[in-house]
């Protein structure tokens, strides 16, 4: 969560995500749940990230 407070990293997040990250009353689990819900609402596909190898 510390990266979200960095001004350069903050531009990576949508406005609704920044509100969730700035809410100090939320637990880490609740923050992750709300961020995932925001992604699903925006239609971001839930694609796992794999390490590409040669």
């Amino acid at each position: 969560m510390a990266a979200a407070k960095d001004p350069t990293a903050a531009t990576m997040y949508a406005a609704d995500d920044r509100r969730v990250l700035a809410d100090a009353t939320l637990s880490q689990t609740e923050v992750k749940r709300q961020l995932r819900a925001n992604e699903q609402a925006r239609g971001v596909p839930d694609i796992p990230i794999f390490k590409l190898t040669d």
Side-chain angles (χ1 to χ4, degrees):
M1 297 305 155
K5 297 187 185 308
D6 178 18
T8 57
T11 59
M12 295 186 326
Y13 298 99
D16 53 348
D17 291 342
R18 288 194 301 271
R19 282 192 293 275
V20 170
L21 292 168
D23 188 350
T25 63
L26 297 176
S27 67
Q28 185 175 10
T29 305
E30 181 63 15
V31 168
K32 287 179 182 179
R33 188 193 68 74
Q34 287 190 20
L35 291 177
R36 174 152 293 175
N38 290 343
E39 287 177 348
Q40 289 175 346
R42 285 192 302 270
V44 176
D46 192 18
I47 301 172
I49 299 173
F50 296 99
K51 182 179 178 183
L52 300 176
T53 58
D54 293 4

